[in-house]
Amino acid sequence: MHTTGLTSPQGIWWKPAHKSEKVWFTISFVWCMILFAMMPLWHVVGGQNPSGIRAKVEPRDYIARVQQFVRDYGTGESESGIPVVAPPPGSDVYLLAAQFQWAPVLQLQEGVEYTLHLSSLDVNHGFNLYPFNVNFQVVPGYDYGLRVTPTEAGDYRIVCNEFCGLGHHLMVGKVLVLPAETTATGPGAEPQAPVGGDS
Ligand code: CUA
């Protein structure tokens, strides 16, 4: 029968939702609400929020900071010619993302807090510490500081997880975390000056 929006169709043209459909709808709705509540809740109780240390920075100024960082605590070069830096516990650590590499190579100590600064020379990059679920956007023009404490010794990779150009897949950096009992100075490292006023 022909009907329009002005006249109701005859008879029962709809059927009540089946029980399983109602159950499914209820589960989905409750789950949506849980996820929705998690967003603001996680901001308060989650341990994954950024430290809130951020500042605008010109890329060339950030490069100068990285270079100073390498001069201060550099211990040599990696096989691929990237400077290796072993900063003292509690220090500010500067990592530069650029098409298509992470520099320098970081040599950190387990169980010690650092402030890890991230910035980019050119485009957006993504800091992803493999194999952990640590992700952060690396943005040109901004210096983001993250308070980090390596909890496990090991040899880790920084993978770029933001598409940044043709060499994106080649953009792999390195973080070495030494066990708590060893010193921060690696093989061939120069003796380091004591840091801080309370030593
Ligand atoms: Cu850097 Cu993708």
Side-chain angles (χ1 to χ4, degrees):
M1 189 177 74
H2 174 75
T3 57
T4 70
L6 298 176
T7 54
S8 314
Q10 297 295 308
I12 299 175
W13 54 271
W14 56 274
K15 289 201 175 82
H18 189 261
K19 193 176 164 224
S20 60
E21 205 172 341
K22 285 180 183 166
V23 169
W24 177 241
F25 178 81
T26 308
I27 292 172
S28 322
F29 183 75
V30 169
W31 185 238
C32 280
M33 287 299 112
I34 290 173
L35 293 180
F36 179 67
M38 281 304 284
M39 286 192 285
L41 203 64
W42 201 245
H43 184 76
V44 181
V45 299
Q48 300 177 327
N49 294 318
S51 319
I53 309 164
R54 58 184 175 268
K56 284 192 176 186
V57 67
E58 284 296 316
R60 79 177 91 86
D61 294 337
Y62 191 80
I63 290 174
R65 285 179 200 175
V66 174
Q67 285 167 341
Q68 186 60 46
F69 175 61
V70 171
R71 274 195 296 274
D72 287 347
Y73 309 120
T75 61
E77 281 191 355
S78 71
E79 320 82 66
S80 40
I82 296 174
V84 179
V85 182
S91 61
D92 285 276
V93 173
Y94 292 91
L95 186 68
L96 176 72
Q99 286 166 322
F100 297 100
Q101 68 170 29
W102 299 94
V105 171
L106 301 175
Q107 193 176 299
L108 307 177
Q109 255 185 286
E110 184 189 355
V112 168
E113 190 184 77
Y114 301 88
T115 304
L116 173 63
H117 293 262
L118 297 168
S119 192
S120 164
L121 173 63
D122 33 50
V123 298
N124 267 38
H125 298 276
F127 176 92
N128 176 206
L129 189 64
Y130 184 83
F132 299 106
N133 187 15
V134 177
N135 296 281
F136 208 77
Q137 283 282 322
V138 185
V139 184
Y142 285 90
D143 173 346
Y144 282 94
L146 302 175
R147 286 197 218 286
V148 294
T149 305
T151 51
E152 269 176 66
D155 184 355
Y156 304 110
R157 295 292 174 273
I158 306 165
V159 179
C160 182
N161 64 4
E162 183 73 46
F163 182 75
C164 54
L166 288 179
H168 163 68
H169 61 291
L170 301 170
M171 194 166 160
V172 180
K174 194 172 171 179
V175 178
L176 208 63
V177 178
L178 304 180
E181 60 270 20
T182 35
T183 60
T185 51
E190 289 173 12
Q192 290 181 16
V195 183
D198 52 4
S199 55

